[in-house]
Amino acid sequence: MKLLLAAVNAKYIHSNLAVYSLRACATEYEKQIGIAEYTINHRAEAILADLYKRGPQVIAFSCYIWNWKIVQELLRELPKVMPDTAIWLGGPEVSYYSTVILKQYPQLTGIMVGEGEETFSELAEHYCTGGKQLTEIAGLCLPGTGLTGVRAPVDIDRIPFIYENVSQFANRIIYYETSRGCPYRCSYCMSSIEKGVRLRSLAKVKQELAFFLEQKVPQVKLIDRTFNCNHEHALEIWKFLLENDNGITNFHFEVSADILTEEELDVLREMRPGLVQLEIGVQSVNPHTIREIRRVMDLDRLEYAVGRVRERGNIHIHLDLIAGLPYETYESFVRSFNCVYAMEPTQLQLGFLKVLKGSEMYEKAADYGIAYSDGPPYEVLYSRWLSYEELLELKKVEEMLELYYNSGQFRQTLKVLVKAFQSPYHLYQSLARYYERQGYFLNSPARVYRYQVLLDFAGVADEGRTDLYRELLTFDLYLREKCKSRPAFARDLSPYQKELKSRTVDKREHLDVFSYKVWEENPENLKLRQNSNLIVRFNYDRRNAVNHDAQVTVEAEV
């Protein structure tokens, strides 16, 4: 008997923790269980051909919002070329309304509902040794039978560590969990369905994190829904990472910033730059919206915590907003945007509400007047408070935010340019409208040419300061990379050639001349300096571990 766990990931660098956990839990039958990973960029016919070549008797697909379309394509074609193969589904995309999916795809053998480790272990036993009958295995939804029974949540300490052979995950993100569940009940989130939080024992977690550190893996992304919901658990792990830092590995955590304790903040501030990055869901600053979605958040405390972490400059901070939530009008969202932007995150993600099956938001969508796309990702089209036209405007703003703010390529320029606008939001709104007038949404400018685009925009938006923006954009460009060719807008360096040639320049360095001071202690702090020119050295071997900027040294005044 040959079983195959199939995963279709969003990108090659991603791995599917679920399928590896399922196989690890079916220890007795592990040799009979294969894993096949693809991406959504593969053509369905190519995946179909590969599955056929592998020749499994049982295929189980891991189903998520990002891969459901391509899995559906495969479900239509697989029975034609592999008529004797049992086809199973599992995962959050099919765990709710599974009886409806079985009617849509009668070729399915069944669906694993909810957590699958113990369910799949018994399913593997059924196929490999003729163990329990399918109707006796809890956690299955079968055609004509329905749900076979609800399976109790698994003890996550019993789930084996799957990364002993870490080399097979080379050049990919390592996903890891120290807990399951979430104490919060946000109505748009699937984690709100499960009650309680289960923690993996600290002894196991430390042993496993030590393995990642010993192997010097580049990044470990923890998928705990709210990592710091248990303060003792979070603090112990952060202290362990601080004490055992290998100088290489980065750990990503999703946290609630407003519940960070002073002791936790103190530990985070001691971390090596680049050791830790934090993802913080703000979603909205509208109190009515926050109450309606049953979210718990102390905005003042959140702003304080983000500020404490940010001021040390050692941690990448990612803040999230969600457009389309109940009671969030366009004007209200603009206020949310400006408030979060003022917190100066490393990245600000402007996301759009996804109405997920099984969530409270799904049940109340009609009450809120929310319309959303029929297929994945089930994204909001409009609500009672936000029109489709306004949502389209936000989509364009989101693209500008990604290209200019989140890319990290224009930080110095944006700090100056934003002051020419009523608010940060109006900067990105104006930039989006400029893009539309120029036809750039249809013909997107190449990455390097975006500097010229921003210069042209700044010349219109903040008249009379073009020379300053030339300097700022030149500085931003060389801060990130040593260009093969000098941009047309950069100043002519010929008057300074003698002085520049007298200075030693390594292949991984660049010398330039600017008319404003870049403080050596804080490269972020630009101040216009009248009637002076400064030689600035950019060192690309000594980059900032958080934002990847080159090391900047002000060498001399000329």
Side-chain angles (χ1 to χ4, degrees), residues 445-489:
R447 182 178 56 81
V448 175
Y449 189 66
R450 289 179 202 138
Y451 290 85
Q452 180 65 55
V453 172
L454 191 59
L455 177 62
D456 295 341
F457 170 74
V460 174
D462 195 8
E463 293 183 61
R465 305 182 78 194
T466 300
D467 287 344
L468 173 60
Y469 288 114
R470 290 181 195 276
E471 299 260 16
L472 287 165
L473 285 162
T474 302
F475 184 84
D476 271 330
L477 181 60
Y478 283 107
L479 197 58
R480 298 306 292 269
E481 60 185 295
K482 185 176 182 180
C483 302
K484 293 180 179 179
S485 58
R486 191 164 178 78
F489 58 77

Side-chain angles (χ1 to χ4, degrees), residues 199-470:
L199 302 176
R200 195 166 178 85
S201 67
L202 282 169
K204 279 184 178 290
V205 170
K206 289 180 180 180
Q207 180 183 358
E208 291 160 359
L209 292 180
F211 175 82
F212 294 138
L213 291 165
E214 289 164 8
Q215 297 296 315
K216 297 182 178 179
V217 301
Q219 185 178 50
V220 178
K221 189 165 186 176
L222 282 87
I223 60 173
D224 304 46
R225 297 310 301 159
T226 305
F227 174 76
N228 61 323
C229 64
N230 182 294
H231 295 293
E232 180 184 358
H233 182 81
L235 189 60
E236 277 294 308
I237 291 171
W238 281 336
K239 284 181 177 179
F240 179 82
L241 295 180
L242 178 62
E243 293 163 3
N244 295 275
D245 178 22
N246 62 10
I248 295 171
T249 306
N250 165 264
F251 293 88
H252 176 106
F253 300 91
E254 188 170 336
V255 302
S256 283
D258 58 320
I259 63 169
L260 286 168
T261 66
E262 291 300 324
E263 189 176 5
E264 288 166 346
L265 289 169
D266 288 341
V267 171
L268 288 170
R269 286 163 56 87
E270 291 300 311
M271 299 288 193
R272 163 184 60 86
L275 172 57
V276 163
Q277 60 189 57
L278 301 179
E279 182 173 348
I280 300 164
V282 183
Q283 321 313 13
S284 172
V285 303
N286 182 333
H288 199 168
T289 296
I290 293 298
R291 284 194 300 272
E292 186 64 25
I293 63 176
R294 299 204 297 164
R295 188 167 178 78
V296 178
M297 183 178 72
D298 181 336
L299 181 59
D300 290 338
R301 179 69 191 181
L302 185 148
E303 289 179 305
Y304 165 78
V306 170
R308 283 282 320 275
V309 174
R310 188 192 66 243
E311 66 186 1
R312 284 279 287 116
N314 63 327
I315 291 178
H316 174 110
I317 304 173
H318 178 123
L319 300 184
D320 293 335
L321 283 172
I322 297 178
L325 292 170
Y327 295 98
E328 188 85 280
T329 63
Y330 184 84
E331 293 74 19
S332 168
F333 187 81
V334 169
R335 288 193 293 274
S336 293
F337 181 98
N338 289 331
C339 178
V340 174
Y341 192 94
M343 297 181 203
E344 300 181 45
T346 317
Q347 288 190 315
L348 197 175
Q349 181 176 327
L350 197 172
F352 295 84
L353 175 66
K354 293 170 179 59
V355 183
L356 305 176
K357 295 184 182 73
S359 69
E360 183 181 325
M361 190 65 66
Y362 178 83
E363 302 297 337
K364 289 187 171 183
D367 297 338
Y368 296 138
I370 291 176
Y372 55 93
S373 56
D374 285 342
Y378 314 111
E379 196 168 88
V380 63
L381 297 171
Y382 60 84
S383 73
R384 190 189 305 164
W385 301 274
L386 186 72
S387 71
Y388 181 57
E389 184 176 353
E390 290 169 333
L391 183 135
L392 291 177
E393 180 95 345
L394 293 178
K395 285 278 185 179
K396 294 169 187 172
V397 168
E398 181 225 4
E399 187 167 343
M400 295 301 95
L401 192 69
E402 287 298 313
L403 291 179
Y404 287 95
Y405 186 89
N406 289 339
S407 68
Q409 296 169 0
F410 307 91
R411 288 184 300 107
Q412 312 299 350
T413 305
L414 291 174
K415 284 181 180 179
V416 176
L417 184 56
V418 71
K419 296 173 184 176
F421 291 85
Q422 177 185 344
S423 74
Y425 180 86
H426 289 92
L427 162 59
Y428 295 95
Q429 180 190 56
S430 297
L431 185 56
R433 290 174 179 176
Y434 179 79
Y435 253 62
E436 194 158 35
R437 289 195 301 272
Q438 300 298 320
Y440 290 147
F441 280 117
L442 296 176
N443 299 291
S444 182
R447 182 178 56 81
V448 175
Y449 189 66
R450 289 179 202 138
Y451 290 85
Q452 180 65 55
V453 172
L454 191 59
L455 177 62
D456 295 341
F457 170 74
V460 174
D462 195 8
E463 293 183 61
R465 305 182 78 194
T466 300
D467 287 344
L468 173 60
Y469 288 114
R470 290 181 195 276

Side-chain angles (χ1 to χ4, degrees), residues 4 7 107 109 115 119 209 268 273 285 313 362 367 529:
L4 184 68
Q107 62 271 47
T109 308
E115 289 184 332
T119 303
L209 292 180
L268 288 170
V285 303
Y362 178 83
D367 297 338
R529 183 179 169 97

